[in-house]
Amino acid sequence: MASGKGEREASPWALALAGLLALAGVMGIGRFLLTPALPMMAAGTGLSPVAAGLVAAANFAGYLLGALAAAHPRFPAPGRAWLLAGLGLSAASTGAMALVETPAAWAAIRFVAGLASAAVLVMASALILKRLATAGRGGLSSVHFAGVGTGIALSAVIAAPGIAASNAWQQVWLTGGAATLLALIAVAVLLPREGPAPASAPTRGEGGSIRRLAIAYGLFGFGYVVTATFLVSILREGGAGRWPETWVWLTVGLAGIPSVALWSWVGRRIGAVPAFRLALLVEAAGVALSALTTGFAALVLAAAALGGTIMGITALGLFEAARRAGGDGRAAMALMTASFGVGQMVGPATAGWLRDLTGSYAVPSLLAAAALVAGTVIARDGVNRPPPAPARDG
């Protein structure tokens, strides 16, 4: 039996690294490996833009259901066993993509992958961030959230050897599943079995203001997902060459690694909500740029804007929602994740349909940019508090 010491006495750096690896597996690979794999799947199997959009939307439908389940009062409290189970499910579903060749089968598998990614995001964020705060090392939360950018960069590396061959898509998915399995093993080592978590002191929340934030967060989900899903496809259609696809997608991941630290710094100086809105505008500019040009240099800038804001917006939104909720922030984070899930579920299906209708991704990308701008308007509710400053590490 594990003692009550367990996780509360674990090294804060080990906790943060466990969070990084968990998010790298279920989000960076489990979610975003589809982006560099899509053009290869289209070339190798004839997957159409509409079908690709529906496959991506299925992932987000699972993501939405997983977030809603995590919000249910009877859902188990965040724990190591559930976190590892979600990582295992993500590894299995990623590898299973290589074993089938029909859009319906891919959609079913991506639905399961979405369940795993939402559950692990909510579980890991609630579990690890709380433990870091208890240890007085809240500043390491940026390491936890850097997992998404790290995983995206890794997904670019995984896809790179197969860029020149259309039939390499199966190897890409198998390699991604193996990488997530390795992440699972590492997280199991870094994250000790925990005793009962200390009870949170109840605090007064601001439930009404969470709803506006959640709506803006849903628009963010819709706005980012078109570029995040089809960026490599946009490059391939523009004739930039296949190796630039790797570099552009790698840019998204590398820009995402420091983004939480950067936007948390901005939030502490101008307030969490203004920082949230500013990041939405930066992302909107990048999404619009991807709509207006297919040139390599411009798409690198668009990729940097996208990667440099996705997790910054996510962290600001989740931290602010948890603060407004008071007490245990798990339900608030799950509400935000559910709203985000609705937006990103609608986005790919809409983009695929508009791509077939118009012959390019320009119209859906501009629509996505408009959604991000609308989010900045809705998020403006007069609350201008900075996020909690990271605790001193000394």
Side-chain angles (χ1 to χ4, degrees), residues 35 39 226-241 245 248 287 289-295 299 302 355 360-362 364-365:
T35 301
V226 174
T227 307
T229 302
F230 296 110
L231 180 59
V232 177
S233 298
I234 292 171
L235 254 174
R236 184 161 294 192
E237 288 189 354
E245 297 169 10
V248 168
V287 171
L289 183 61
S290 74
L292 300 175
T293 180
T294 56
L299 285 176
R355 160 61 182 80
S360 80
Y361 289 102
S365 295

Side-chain angles (χ1 to χ4, degrees), residues 7-298:
E7 189 176 0
R8 290 194 298 276
E9 294 187 3
S11 160
W13 271 102
L15 290 173
L17 184 57
L20 181 150
L21 291 171
L23 294 190
V26 299
M27 298 294 292
I29 296 175
R31 154 61 185 99
F32 287 109
L33 185 58
L34 179 66
T35 301
L38 268 180
M40 286 184 277
M41 293 168 70
T45 69
L47 183 69
S48 70
V50 170
L54 292 176
V55 169
N59 178 255
F60 302 135
Y63 192 96
L64 172 60
L65 183 60
L68 292 175
H72 196 279
R74 294 186 179 180
F75 196 81
R80 178 180 182 272
W82 282 96
L83 179 59
L84 296 179
L87 268 169
L89 187 59
S90 181
S93 58
T94 298
M97 288 291 288
L99 307 180
V100 297
E101 293 192 20
T102 66
W106 284 325
I109 293 170
R110 296 300 293 166
F111 179 85
V112 173
L115 284 173
S117 61
V120 172
L121 174 63
V122 174
M123 286 282 185
S125 296
L127 175 66
I128 291 174
L129 296 184
K130 187 173 185 178
R131 299 295 178 179
L132 288 175
T134 299
R137 300 292 294 272
L140 292 179
S141 61
S142 60
V143 176
H144 165 72
F145 283 113
V148 178
T150 302
I152 292 174
L154 181 58
S155 76
V157 174
I158 289 171
I163 288 295
S166 62
N167 62 355
W169 64 270
Q170 292 168 310
Q171 185 60 44
V172 166
W173 285 112
L174 289 173
T175 305
T180 305
L181 182 60
L182 290 176
L184 164 62
I185 295 170
V187 171
V189 172
L190 291 167
L191 193 62
R193 291 180 177 86
E194 71 274 14
S200 298
T203 57
R204 184 175 180 178
E206 304 174 33
S209 61
I210 293 177
R211 287 189 289 272
R212 290 178 63 87
L213 191 64
I215 292 171
Y217 201 62
L219 289 169
F220 160 54
F222 179 91
Y224 99 94
V225 78
V226 174
T227 307
T229 302
F230 296 110
L231 180 59
V232 177
S233 298
I234 292 171
L235 254 174
R236 184 161 294 192
E237 288 189 354
R242 295 194 174 186
W243 281 106
E245 297 169 10
T246 298
W247 293 108
V248 168
W249 189 239
L250 184 64
T251 299
V252 175
L254 294 178
I257 292 173
S259 65
V260 172
L262 170 64
W263 287 105
S264 294
W265 177 83
V266 174
R268 288 192 297 274
R269 279 150 182 78
I270 68 174
V273 173
F276 179 85
R277 297 174 66 221
L278 177 60
L280 285 175
L281 287 176
V282 172
E283 188 168 299
V287 171
L289 183 61
S290 74
L292 300 175
T293 180
T294 56
F296 175 68

Side-chain angles (χ1 to χ4, degrees), residues 291-335:
L292 300 175
T293 180
T294 56
F296 175 68
L299 285 176
V300 167
L301 291 176
L306 180 72
T309 55
I310 291 176
M311 288 312 300
I313 295 170
T314 299
L316 287 169
L318 294 182
F319 278 132
E320 180 66 10
R323 184 196 65 76
R324 296 183 188 189
D328 182 2
R330 178 166 59 119
M333 283 195 286
L335 173 64

